[in-house]
C-alpha cells in the first residue's frame, strides 16, 4: 500500500462520487414526474443501438491492426458470433461459441 | 397475495439469470484480474472488494490503481472518474422511460448501472408475466454481485488459477456483438447502430485507445442530433 488506510478510503469515495454523478445526472435533470423534452426522448430511442456499436468498437480498441495478426482472431470470432446468432438466435450459444473459438485462436493458432 | 408476489419474483429471477451468464463469465474473469492486480500493489481483498462494492466502476477501478499508488489526490480521482464514466449519462438518458415509476428499487438500479446492465436492460424485454421492475432488478443485482465476487476471488485466491484463461474476457465483446445484432433486428435502429460504429472507429483512429471514449460520445451525439429529422419518426402520425 502506497497510501494510508484513510487516504485509500478517500480515493475510493472520490472514485465512487465521480462515477455516481455520471449515473444520476440524467435522472436528476429529467425527473420522473416531468415529461422530458422531445429531443431527449429521441436520444433515448436512438442511443441504445448507437452505444452498442460504440461498445463493440471500444472492446476492440487495443487490437493492433497494423501488425500481425492484424486483428484476425477478433474479426474471425466476431464473424462466428454473428453467423451463430443469425442462424440459431440463441444468445448463450452465440457468446459461448465465439468465446471458445477466440480462446483457441489466441492460445493455439495466432501465437 | 404475498405468495404470488414471491412467485413472480422467482419467475423474474429465472428469466434474468440466463441473460446474465455472459456477464458472469466476463465479470468473474476481469474481477479476478482486478483483485490480483490490487493484491500485487499491496491492497488486499478487503480493499479491492470495498472499491468494487462502493464505486462499482469497472474500467475506472483499473485506472484507480494508478491513483492508489501515487501521491494522494482525491480531486483528480473524482474528475478522472467523471470523464472515464461519462458514457453512463447516455445510459441514463436511454432508460428514463424504462426506469420510470419503479419505486424503491429505482435508486439501486441507478446506483449499479454499468455498460453490461444497460446493454441487457435496454435490449431485452421481460418475458410474459414478469414485471419489468423485477426483471431489471435481478439483472442489475446479479451483475453487481458477479463483479464483487470476482474481485474477492482474485484477492483471495488469484494465484491458484492454473489453466490458461487468456481470451476468456472476449465473452463481453461477444455479448455486445450479440446485443448489437438484437438491436439490428429492428430496421429503424440500423442507422443509429452504424453511426455508433463509425463514430467510435473515427475517434479510435484519431485519438487512440486511451482517449477515444469522450470524443466518440461527442461525435455520436452530434451526428444523432444532426440526423434527427431523418431518424426521428416518432413524431410522424399515421405510420408508413
Amino acid at each position: 500500500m502506497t497510501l494510508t488506510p484513510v487516504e485509500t478510503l478517500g480515493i475510493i469515495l472520490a472514485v465512487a462520487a465521480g462515477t455516481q454523478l455520471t449515473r444520476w445526472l440524467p435522472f436528476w435533470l429529467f425527473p420522473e414526474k416531468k415529461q422530458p423534452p422531445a429531443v431527449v426522448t429521441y436520444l433515448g430511442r436512438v442511443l441504445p443501438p448507437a452505444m452498442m456499436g460504440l461498445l463493440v468498437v471500444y472492446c476492440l480498441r487495443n487490437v493492433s491492426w497494423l501488425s500481425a495478426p492484424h486483428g484476425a482472431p477478433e474479426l474471425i470470432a466476431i464473424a462466428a458470433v454473428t453467423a451463430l446468432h443469425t442462424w440459431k438466435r440463441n444468445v448463450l450459444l452465440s457468446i459461448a461459441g465465439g468465446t471458445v473459438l477466440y480462446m483457441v485462436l489466441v492460445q493455439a493458432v495466432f501465437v | 397475495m404475498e405468495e404470488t408476489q414471491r412467485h413472480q419474483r422467482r419467475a423474474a429471477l429465472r428469466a434474468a439469470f440466463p441473460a446474465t451468464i455472459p456477464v458472469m463469465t466476463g465479470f468473474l474473469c476481469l474481477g479476478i484480474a482486478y483483485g490480483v492486480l490490487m493484491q500485487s500493489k499491496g491492497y488486499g481483498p478487503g480493499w479491492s472488494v470495498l472499491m468494487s462494492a462502493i464505486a462499482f466502476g469497472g474500467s475506472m477501478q483499473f485506472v484507480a490503481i494508478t491513483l492508489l499508488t501515487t501521491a494522494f489526490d482525491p480531486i483528480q480521482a473524482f474528475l478522472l472518474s467523471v470523464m472515464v464514466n461519462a458514457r453512463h449519462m447516455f445510459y441514463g438518458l436511454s432508460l428514463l422511460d424504462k426506469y420510470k415509476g419503479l419505486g424503491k428499487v429505482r435508486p439501486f438500479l441507478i446506483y449499479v448501472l454499468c455498460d453490461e446492465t444497460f446493454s441487457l436492460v435496454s435490449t431485452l424485454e421481460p418475458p410474459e408475466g414478469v414485471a419489468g421492475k423485477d426483471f431489471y432488478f435481478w439483472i442489475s443485482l446479479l451483475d453487481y454481485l458477479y463483479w464483487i465476487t470476482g474481485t474477492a476471488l482474485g484477492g483471495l485466491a488469484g494465484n491458484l488459477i492454473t489453466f490458461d484463461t487468456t481470451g476468456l474476457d472476449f465473452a463481453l465483446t461477444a455479448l455486445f456483438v450479440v446485443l448489437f445484432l438484437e438491436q439490428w433486428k429492428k430496421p429503424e435502429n440500423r442507422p443509429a447502430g452504424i453511426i455508433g460504429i463509425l463514430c467510435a472507429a473515427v475517434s479510435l483512429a484519431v485519438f487512440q485507445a486511451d482517449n477515444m471514449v469522450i470524443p466518440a460520445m461527442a461525435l455520436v451525439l452530434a451526428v444523432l442530433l444532426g440526423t434527427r429529422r431523418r431518424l426521428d419518426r416518432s413524431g410522424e402520425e399515421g405510420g408508413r
Side-chain angles (χ1 to χ4, degrees):
Chain A
M1 281 177 77
T2 318
L3 304 180
T4 67
V6 175
E7 288 175 337
T8 306
L9 199 61
I11 294 292
I12 291 178
L13 291 176
V15 171
T19 308
Q20 286 305 323
L21 178 67
T22 62
R23 290 189 172 127
W24 286 90
L25 198 61
F27 296 96
W28 284 334
L29 289 177
F30 308 105
E32 280 186 285
K33 288 173 188 73
K34 279 195 211 154
Q35 180 67 28
V39 64
V40 171
T41 311
Y42 161 71
L43 285 175
R45 193 176 64 75
V46 291
L47 275 175
M51 289 308 284
M52 232 56 75
L54 189 151
L55 285 169
V56 170
V57 176
Y58 180 70
C59 284
L60 303 175
R61 69 192 180 283
N62 290 319
V63 173
S64 38
W65 302 102
L66 299 180
S67 56
H70 307 284
E74 286 78 12
L75 293 178
I76 293 171
I78 287 177
V81 171
T82 308
L84 262 177
H85 199 66
T86 312
W87 179 37
K88 289 283 186 188
R89 283 268 163 219
N90 178 328
V91 172
L92 285 183
L93 179 74
S94 315
I95 292 169
T99 305
V100 169
L101 175 64
Y102 181 76
M103 290 176 77
V104 171
L105 289 175
V106 292
Q107 288 183 25
V109 181
F110 298 96
V111 185
Chain B
M1 190 65 192
E2 216 165 80
E3 191 58 34
T4 43
Q5 256 187 4
R6 205 177 308 145
H7 184 77
Q8 279 177 346
R9 250 176 240 149
R10 225 175 289 149
L13 174 59
R14 268 198 300 273
F17 174 67
T20 64
I21 291 177
V23 183
M24 177 167 72
T25 314
F27 273 17
L28 287 180
C29 204
L30 292 172
I32 287 173
Y34 176 68
V36 170
L37 211 54
M38 281 286 277
Q39 183 73 274
S40 73
K41 304 288 179 193
Y43 292 92
W47 287 117
S48 46
V49 167
L50 202 62
M51 179 66 105
S52 288
I54 297 180
F56 191 54
S59 54
M60 180 56 211
Q61 289 182 220
F62 283 92
V63 177
I65 293 179
T66 332
L67 301 169
L68 289 170
T69 49
T70 179
F72 180 59
D73 190 349
I75 305 289
Q76 194 203 2
F78 175 81
L79 293 175
L80 208 57
S81 306
V82 173
M83 283 191 290
V84 171
N85 290 309
R87 63 190 185 285
H88 291 142
M89 294 183 218
F90 283 8
Y91 303 161
L93 282 184
S94 310
L95 294 174
L96 287 174
D97 199 42
K98 279 198 170 180
Y99 282 5
K100 199 183 266 183
L102 297 190
K104 269 186 273 177
V105 299
R106 189 168 175 265
F108 174 74
L109 298 184
I110 298 172
Y111 193 96
V112 299
L113 184 57
C114 60
D115 298 320
E116 291 73 13
T117 299
F118 158 75
S119 306
L120 291 172
V121 166
S122 65
T123 307
L124 306 179
E125 292 297 333
E128 279 284 311
V130 170
K133 181 169 92 169
D134 296 334
F135 188 61
Y136 305 147
F137 170 76
W138 283 119
I139 289 177
S140 304
L141 179 65
L142 288 170
D143 288 356
Y144 179 62
L145 292 179
Y146 298 149
W147 180 245
I148 295 177
T149 308
T151 307
L153 286 176
L156 290 170
N159 307 327
L160 300 179
I161 297 174
T162 47
F163 79 99
D164 192 349
T165 56
T166 310
L168 190 56
D169 52 359
F170 187 79
L172 291 179
T173 310
L175 173 69
F176 293 131
V177 171
V178 164
L179 294 176
F180 180 83
L181 294 171
E182 287 295 311
Q183 296 276 354
W184 189 264
K185 269 203 292 194
K186 290 188 188 163
E188 68 267 27
N189 282 342
R190 291 177 189 173
I194 293 171
I195 287 171
I197 289 185
L198 291 182
C199 291
V202 167
S203 177
L204 174 62
V206 176
F207 297 96
Q208 306 298 313
D210 290 339
N211 303 310
M212 68 164 283
V213 178
I214 302 253
M217 283 174 52
L219 206 54
V220 162
L221 193 63
V223 175
L224 286 177
L225 289 175
T227 52
R228 185 179 168 198
R229 254 167 221 269
R230 284 172 175 223
L231 293 185
D232 195 0
R233 296 195 200 132
S234 57
E236 287 177 20
E237 297 300 323
R240 275 200 252 167

